[in-house]
Amino acid sequence: MKKIGFLSFGHWAPSPQSRTQSGTDALLQSIDLAVEAERLGMDGAYFRVHHFAQQLASPFPLLAAVGAKTRKIEIGTAVIDMRYENPHYMAEDAGAADLISGGRLQLGISRGSPEQVIDGWRYFGYHPIEGEDDAGMGRRHAEAFLELLRGKGFAQPNPRPMFTNPPGLLRLEPYSATLRDRIWWGSASNATAAWAAKLGMNLQTSTLKFDETGESLHIQQAAQIHAFRTAWKNAGHTRTPRISVSRSIFALLDDHDRRYFGRGSQEEDKIGFLDENTRAIFGRSYAAEPDILIEQLRKDEAIEEADTLLLTIPNQLGVAYNAHVMEAILTTVAPALGWR
């Protein structure tokens, strides 16, 4: 059994080919898609965050709105770039969104990915400290955020406050007592997977990873998951961690599916460079008739190791078509693989 969710990047473009023409469309359709996914029996609605792009950026208003419109589905991100985040403000926003949803938030955070602009986090007022690069700054912000989610008071109260304070140091409000266990780290390397495990975060691994061995993506990710679990055990945590992988998977059932994904699908992993020094492997897409798709997915070692699968969706094709994509996986693929 696996939890199955969708992952939307929330693209929009003012072109005739896009059913998502504007930021308004992207946000409202994201809410509608989460409602539809819950109706279909999906387990999660996840959203990617990118700044300075025609994509979803500020996640918490969207997460709160989805939480108010749904009842059961998990609501999450994959991922929020922590280089851009104020941990204190984020703790308040996350606490509010989690309480609105009734404790369904699954918050994926990370150092982030290559950006649309040069050092975009500087425009948000953040700078690495001496001896630190931007990745280190993102991890530092993450550690501060995790500490705030423990709910321990740290701020000295005003002796003449506007409202009566409880005794002792004050914490940020609103506070969600269980959210700390529902924070995930989006990891692109074995080392950061082990670091996340040590801090007690769940693991997200996507369709991109640093190429550390030259093997296929799914094999490298399976090894990454093993490294995470080993570090988790060594850290002495008592709960069982969650682990997700992201994949582009399309069951070809009709002419629409074949027209969109039946030709020129990416059937092999690809190698690229995120910067001058970082070689990365980008995962293949799966697009085939259900019987073929089932046999292909049986061989994906990382999916086998994970408890959660996030289906990356083509959100610009509209809510109705993406609901069809999700339903096709739930009904024609998931049962045969034991996911349902």
Side-chain angles (χ1 to χ4, degrees), residues 58-61 63 80 82 84-98 105 107 109 124 126 141-142 144-149 154 171-176 179:
S58 179
F60 292 106
L63 295 170
I80 297 173
M82 292 303 294
Y84 287 78
E85 294 297 322
N86 177 316
H88 292 73
Y89 202 166
M90 185 177 178
E92 291 182 340
D93 282 349
D98 193 45
L105 200 61
L107 205 61
I109 64 177
F124 282 56
Y126 303 116
H141 286 181
F145 175 62
L146 292 174
E147 185 61 30
L148 291 167
L149 292 184
F154 63 91
R171 69 186 182 193
L172 293 172
E173 302 288 355
Y175 175 64
S176 172
L179 180 58

Side-chain angles (χ1 to χ4, degrees), residues 14-34:
S15 70
Q17 290 76 33
S18 176
R19 295 183 180 272
T20 311
Q21 297 274 316
S22 66
T24 299
D25 290 343
L27 289 163
L28 296 180
Q29 289 176 20
S30 293
I31 298 169
D32 291 344
L33 188 58

